Amino acid sequence: MVNRTTLRQSVLVSAGTVFNSLLGLLFYILVAKNLGVEKFGHFSYLLGLGLLAAELGDLGINSAIVKFGSGDKFSAIFSFAIVQRAIIFVPIIIIFLYLGLFPSAAVAIGLLLAYLTTQGLLARQKFSLQVFANISGNLLRLLLIIATPLSAITVFFLGTIGTFIIGMLTLFKEFKGFDLNKKFAKEILRFSLPAAGSFSLSSIASKIDVPILYSLAGPVAVGLYSSAQKLASVIPQIASALDGVFAPKFSQKSPTALRQYLILAGLISLGILIFIPFSGTLITFVFGNKYLGSETVFQILLLSFIPFFLSGPFLGKILYGLGKTKHLLLVSTVNLIISITGLIILIGIFQANGAALTFVITNTVALVFYVLISFIFRHQAN
């Protein structure tokens, strides 16, 4: 069974995250309806490049903040993260300026700042404040997109900055002074760099779909695919919320964390499975008849989130409980190869549906690997 404290925290963060995701979805609905399918596809392309750059530029520090920040080392890990962010901003700006894609650079920088504070709040187990910071950022986006003539990319960037500022106001109360320790920095890098490799490859595998689809099928296909993706994005946000609740518990070697997380993930996966047959008309109801061709994409994406959800407990155990980041790097490498190959082949055959089918394959493969790794190390420990 799941104890009351864990259940209360999970419900709080999940409910807040769902509400936050719905606010984010409303932003994308307004943008999609205002821009039309083709221009929304181009917007999604620029946004996707920024999201990819943010995750690659993180270098595994987000996970390190949670792992090391829940105890008395918060000031040290947060100091390290601030310096890392300041350094990584420079190549992001230079690369995207060279490519003529500065809006994507703004997205990446804004997200890296927002992650800095939201991960810090998770590390300190200030779950309600983390949810509040994210909701505030999305409310700011909605206000700006409705009341100003600013571009959608600019509004997205300003929303992340709002999240960063609100989160930082709280974290400075936890921050006991700037503290950079070389010995501890090496400890962070030993943990974060393999994790960075793993997450970077996973990020490429999960976010390269839009650039490849844009190249092979054009902006209209991306517009249809992105509308389904945005509507389905509520689901991985719930998974992220659960991970935020359980990551500190895994780091503190809680003996019941895996079982409790698995029960919750299983229940949500069952709910997704039950909902799939009834989901077909939802996307056109939300986005309008222009996006009629994205119904099947949406259903396939929902199916792909079942193995994704079930992977969460095992991934949390491996990353935060066992600290086996090198093993995650191997899984991510295999999945990246499968993802790129699947996207090229399946998009060529099924267009946007092919991109969604690739996620079913890669998420299932990842689940199998995570279960095997967890079993192997549990067996060795015994």
Side-chain angles (χ1 to χ4, degrees), residues 62-74:
N62 284 342
S63 298
I65 291 173
V66 176
K67 181 171 179 61
F68 296 109
S70 59
D72 58 1
K73 293 182 177 180
F74 177 72

Side-chain angles (χ1 to χ4, degrees), residues 1-4 6-7 10-11 14 238-239 242-243 246 250 255-272 306 309-314 367:
M1 294 296 292
V2 182
N3 67 49
R4 291 182 179 180
T6 300
L7 182 60
S10 299
V11 170
S14 297
I238 298 172
L242 288 177
D243 183 63
F246 282 96
F250 281 124
T256 60
L258 178 64
R259 176 170 54 84
Q260 293 174 354
Y261 193 169
L262 193 56
I263 291 171
L264 292 172
L267 290 173
I268 295 171
S269 298
L270 179 61
I272 294 171
I306 294 175
F309 249 108
L310 294 176
S311 295
F314 301 101
L367 172 61

Side-chain angles (χ1 to χ4, degrees), residues 260-337:
Q260 293 174 354
Y261 193 169
L262 193 56
I263 291 171
L264 292 172
L267 290 173
I268 295 171
S269 298
L270 179 61
I272 294 171
L273 186 62
I274 293 171
F275 175 70
I276 287 174
F278 307 99
S279 63
T281 59
L282 178 61
I283 192 160
T284 50
F285 173 76
V286 171
F287 285 95
N289 290 331
K290 293 179 182 178
Y291 293 86
L292 185 63
S294 56
E295 291 179 343
T296 304
V297 177
F298 181 48
Q299 292 176 328
I300 297 171
L301 286 174
L302 288 176
L303 181 63
S304 75
F305 285 128
I306 294 175
F308 175 81
F309 249 108
L310 294 176
S311 295
F314 301 101
L315 176 59
K317 177 68 174 179
I318 295 166
L319 178 61
Y320 299 108
L322 300 172
K324 301 294 182 181
T325 52
K326 292 180 180 179
H327 296 78
L328 296 181
L329 181 58
L330 174 62
V331 177
S332 298
T333 302
V334 173
N335 249 9
L336 177 60
I337 295 171

Side-chain angles (χ1 to χ4, degrees), residues 167-248:
M168 190 63 76
L169 290 174
T170 300
L171 285 176
F172 267 130
K173 298 177 183 178
E174 299 280 322
F175 196 52
K176 305 303 181 184
F178 205 76
D179 179 17
L180 275 180
N181 182 289
K182 289 184 179 180
K183 184 177 180 180
F184 183 55
K186 291 180 180 179
E187 184 180 354
I188 295 170
L189 291 173
R190 278 196 298 269
F191 171 83
S192 66
L193 289 181
S198 173
F199 290 139
S200 294
L201 294 177
S202 295
S203 179
I204 294 172
S206 64
K207 291 184 173 58
I208 202 171
D209 52 346
V210 169
I212 291 179
L213 184 60
Y214 191 89
S215 300
L216 296 180
V220 173
V222 172
L224 294 173
Y225 176 76
S226 294
S227 63
Q229 192 181 52
K230 301 310 181 190
L231 189 57
S233 65
V234 175
I235 298 175
Q237 292 297 322
I238 298 172
S240 177
L242 288 177
D243 183 63
V245 170
F246 282 96

Side-chain angles (χ1 to χ4, degrees), residues 322 324 327 371-382:
L322 300 172
K324 301 294 182 181
H327 296 78
V371 171
L372 287 175
I373 293 170
S374 298
F375 176 79
I376 289 169
F377 281 97
R378 180 182 178 184
H379 180 72
Q380 287 181 353
N382 291 335

